[in-house]
Amino acid sequence: MTPATPPAVRRHRGWRALGLLALAAVLGLAFWGYTTPEMQIHWENLAALCGF
């Protein structure tokens, strides 16, 4: 008899997908800000927000 997959694994997949989506959104906004000078978003500011 094989053990069933615990529901916690599915929950972790959801958080991982949400994290990747949030990261993609932040990087997408940063790239958009990089291409439009009116927004005044710079890569240095993004790096500071991310803790680098």
Side-chain angles (χ1 to χ4, degrees):
M1 205 163 150
T2 60
T5 306
V9 173
R10 289 189 186 135
R11 195 176 317 137
H12 290 296
R13 285 184 192 163
W15 282 112
R16 182 177 295 164
L18 184 63
L20 288 174
L21 182 64
L23 178 64
V26 168
L27 291 176
L29 282 173
F31 182 73
W32 182 42
Y34 183 74
T35 59
T36 57
E38 303 90 38
M39 289 188 63
Q40 297 298 316
I41 296 176
H42 301 287
W43 286 109
E44 294 85 13
N45 296 340
L46 175 67
L49 285 173
C50 293
F52 294 111

